[in-house]
């Protein structure tokens, strides 16, 4: 389960590139009750999504030519070493390591299958203030064109462990955990095949929802769309995939992503 202890290799931050930050903030405010706090003039439009006074994510201007997307950040003890390891393992450095105003050090990559992600070496900011609560990040999932190669790449960077899990007959799903601690207790995400042929490989955040169907209703009323209707999966929970008005995918899940019967 994801916690704010953020061991090495665990998701510790998420942010969204948006073509219209006020509209994006309004949408997620209606869906999850988030408020937006600007990072100030020096942040170039970047700001924070908050539940109460606790940060659950962030949003910034969309880079030219990019599609709106959520980016998952994984904690690292050495951003420069991770950048070197990513290149050696066949990944691409999209944004080289940089200091973020003393808050920490950041770099962004694409894995060999093209999925984008980032890493964070903490400075003053360790990571998100809240996870695994209603309206906050609870699970991170990679849909990839090559599960084996995808896992091998991230294992080389972070030492992740993997356990195969079959939530439905014939479905190849792999639960991923950090390198240390109880493997099931430190599970934070999964790796699955892409849903359709030719679909780009990508990471997608899951947000905890006490009532998945109610959140879907709020999202569609606010201009979002349903990519995968709500479904109850044994030993997993009730989940759904949505897109915000700019087409950015995100997912919902009730309860822990993996519950043993």
């Amino acid at each position: 389960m994801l916690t704010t202890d953020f061991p090495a290799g665990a998701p510790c931050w998420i942010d969204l590139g948006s073509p219209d930050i006020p509209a994006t903030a309004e949408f997620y405010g209606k869906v999850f009750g988030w408020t937006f706090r600007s990072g100030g003039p020096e942040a170039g439009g970047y700001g924070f999504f908050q539940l109460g006074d606790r940060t659950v994510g962030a949003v910034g201007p969309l880079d030219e030519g990019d599609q709106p997307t959520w980016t998952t950040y994984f904690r690292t003890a050495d951003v420069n070493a991770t950048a070197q390891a990513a290149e050696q393992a066949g990944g691409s450095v999209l944004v080289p390591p940089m200091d973020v105003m003393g808050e920490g050090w950041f770099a962004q990559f694409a894995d060999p299958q093209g999925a984008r992600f980032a890493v964070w070496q903490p400075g003053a900011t360790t990571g998100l203030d809240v996870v695994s609560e209603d309206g906050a990040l609870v699970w991170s999932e990679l849909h990839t064109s090559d599960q084996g190669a995808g896992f091998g790449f991230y294992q080389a960077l972070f030492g992740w462990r993997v356990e195969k899990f079959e939530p439905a007959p014939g479905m190849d799903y792999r639960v991923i955990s950090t390198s240390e601690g109880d493997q099931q207790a430190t599970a934070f995400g999964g790796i699955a095949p892409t849903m359709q042929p030719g679909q780009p490989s990508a990471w997608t955040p899951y947000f905890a929802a006490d009532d998945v169907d109610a959140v879907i209703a709020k999202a569609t009323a606010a201009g979002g769309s349903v990519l995968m209707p709500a479904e109850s999966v044994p030993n997993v929970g009730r989940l759904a995939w949505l897109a915000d008005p700019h087409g950015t995918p995100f997912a919902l899940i009730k309860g822990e992503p993996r519950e043993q019967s």
Side-chain angles (χ1 to χ4, degrees):
M1 183 176 178
L2 187 61
T3 71
T4 53
D5 292 338
F6 301 129
C12 62
W13 192 261
I14 50 170
D15 63 17
L16 172 61
S18 170
D20 187 335
I21 291 175
T24 295
E26 181 180 7
F27 171 79
Y28 286 99
K30 290 178 178 178
V31 174
F32 294 120
W34 296 350
T35 57
F36 174 74
R37 178 173 64 86
S38 171
E42 67 277 10
Y46 195 86
F48 308 97
F49 289 129
Q50 295 191 300
L51 270 175
D53 60 353
R54 301 183 299 171
T55 298
V56 292
V59 60
L62 188 66
D63 292 334
E64 186 175 353
D66 281 352
Q67 295 295 315
T69 186
W70 280 101
T71 298
T72 300
Y73 290 61
F74 300 99
R75 182 166 180 171
T76 180
D78 188 331
V79 66
N80 292 296
T82 302
Q84 184 177 14
E87 287 190 299
Q88 291 175 344
S92 304
V93 178
L94 304 179
V95 180
M98 59 182 293
D99 180 13
V100 184
M101 299 183 291
E103 297 299 322
W105 294 264
F106 148 84
Q108 188 180 67
F109 311 101
D111 69 23
Q113 287 69 49
R116 293 189 176 196
F117 68 101
V119 298
W120 181 254
Q121 179 183 335
T125 296
T126 302
L128 300 172
D129 292 329
V130 58
V131 296
S132 300
E133 294 183 15
D134 189 39
L137 180 70
V138 67
W139 195 249
S140 296
E141 193 166 86
L142 173 64
H143 285 253
T144 178
S145 57
D146 190 329
Q147 287 172 278
F151 173 71
F153 170 81
Y154 292 100
Q155 187 179 45
L157 267 60
F158 304 119
W160 288 350
R161 294 169 291 177
V162 66
E163 181 182 1
K164 289 192 176 182
F165 177 54
E166 191 173 311
M171 182 176 180
D172 186 2
Y173 194 89
R174 306 181 188 193
V175 176
I176 44 179
S177 309
T178 56
S179 62
E180 297 181 355
D182 179 84
Q183 187 165 349
Q184 290 194 4
T186 58
F188 62 81
I191 300 178
T194 50
M195 295 182 180
Q196 300 174 353
Q199 180 182 4
S201 299
W203 283 94
T204 300
Y206 278 69
F207 299 106
D210 287 342
D211 188 334
V212 169
D213 298 87
V215 175
I216 292 172
K218 292 177 183 178
T220 53
S225 56
V226 177
L227 301 180
M228 186 183 78
E231 179 182 6
S232 295
V233 180
N235 298 321
V236 175
R238 188 159 180 81
L239 53 89
W241 276 55
L242 306 177
D244 68 21
H246 296 115
T248 314
F250 64 97
L252 308 171
I253 191 163
K254 175 178 172 58
E256 294 185 9
R258 190 178 181 198
E259 296 179 0
Q260 299 299 319
S261 59

